[in-house]
């Protein structure tokens, strides 16, 4: 495998390993050996070490003294803690959109994402739908104009993605519910009703958390 720009080499290695962790190809507590990654990807050991630090910052691996890197364990406490934080951050983003849009056209990118989500629902394409859901969240960044908030959310997204894939089989009927929730959120944003938007977002997020916890309990 060959990695090229625009992302740094370490970032590309981190993304490659993150995708394997998110999809469950690398299991919980499985060791990630620097030398093995270096040889399989034909990259430098220094780049791999930097990639592992990126993955640690994104809560996908733990780096333990004298034991090296291993895939982080998912526990009910970690899942509940993750969702509690992420929902508060999402709430800040929704507030920024509701308070920050000036012209109706400012909301057109969200409407276009909604259209693509509906297409994914029609195709019954769960993975494309999940990608679209994260795209919708990222479309709120310009309204917040807060680099610290954006960086924090981005560092948590791989961990959230991992929980989504864990409960992927349970999400067949969830796409329609998400789309309905998205419509309500758009209505609340257009009305600048921050309280309603936050309430809807929180209810949906807690429902997602329950799906993940149920999937954990069945392993």
């Amino acid at each position: 495998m060959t990695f090229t720009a625009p992302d740094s080499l370490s970032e590309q290695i981190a993304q490659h390993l993150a995708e394997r962790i998110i999809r469950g190809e690398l299991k919980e507590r499985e060791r990630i050996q620097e030398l093995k990654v270096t040889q399989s990807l034909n990259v430098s050991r220094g780049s791999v070490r930097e990639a592992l630090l990126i993955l640690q910052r994104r809560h996908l691996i733990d780096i333990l003294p004298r034991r090296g890197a291993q895939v982080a364990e998912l526990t009910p406490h970690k899942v509940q803690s993750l969702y509690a934080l992420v929902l508060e951050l999402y709430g800040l983003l929704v507030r920024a959109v509701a308070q920050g849009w000036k012209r109706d056209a400012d909301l057109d990118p969200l409407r276009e994402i909604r259209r693509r989500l509906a297409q994914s629902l029609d195709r019954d394409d769960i993975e494309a739908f999940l990608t679209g859901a994260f795209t919708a969240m990222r479309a709120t960044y310009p309204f917040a104009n807060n680099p610290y908030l954006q960086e924090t959310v981005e560092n948590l997204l791989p961990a959230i993605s991992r929980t989504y894939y864990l409960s992927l089989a349970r999400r067949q009927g969830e796409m329609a519910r998400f789309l309905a929730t998205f419509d309500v959120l758009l209505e609340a944003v257009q009305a600048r009703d921050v309280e309603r938007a936050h309430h809807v977002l929180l209810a949906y997020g807690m429902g997602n958390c329950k799906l993940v916890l149920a999937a954990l309990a069945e392993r």
Side-chain angles (χ1 to χ4, degrees), residues 161-182:
S161 297
R162 187 183 178 195
T163 68
Y164 274 32
Y165 270 87
L166 177 67
S167 58
L168 199 61
R170 295 174 172 271
R171 295 184 177 276
Q172 202 70 32
E174 287 297 302
M175 291 190 289
R177 191 168 76 91
F178 178 90
L179 205 57
T181 301
F182 194 85

Side-chain angles (χ1 to χ4, degrees), residues 12-50:
Q12 291 177 71
I13 297 168
Q15 183 62 33
H16 170 71
L17 293 173
E19 288 174 359
R20 296 193 64 198
I21 294 171
I22 288 168
R23 295 177 184 275
E25 296 170 14
L26 293 173
K27 307 298 183 183
E28 292 181 53
R29 297 182 297 279
E30 181 174 344
R31 285 192 62 198
I32 301 178
Q33 300 178 21
E34 288 182 14
L35 183 58
K36 186 176 180 180
V37 175
T38 297
Q39 293 173 340
S40 64
L41 300 182
N42 192 29
V43 292
S44 71
R45 198 157 183 172
S47 295
V48 173
R49 286 174 181 163
E50 186 176 343

Side-chain angles (χ1 to χ4, degrees), residues 42-61:
N42 192 29
V43 292
S44 71
R45 198 157 183 172
S47 295
V48 173
R49 286 174 181 163
E50 186 176 343
L52 294 178
L53 290 174
I54 293 172
L55 292 174
Q56 182 185 39
R57 187 167 67 246
R58 293 175 182 170
H59 310 283
L60 292 180
I61 70 168

Side-chain angles (χ1 to χ4, degrees), residues 52-84:
L52 294 178
L53 290 174
I54 293 172
L55 292 174
Q56 182 185 39
R57 187 167 67 246
R58 293 175 182 170
H59 310 283
L60 292 180
I61 70 168
D62 296 318
I63 299 178
L64 307 174
R66 297 182 299 279
R67 294 171 60 187
Q70 66 178 38
V71 178
E73 185 179 6
L74 273 179
T75 65
H77 175 68
K78 284 186 176 181
V79 169
Q80 291 171 321
S81 299
L82 176 63
Y83 273 82

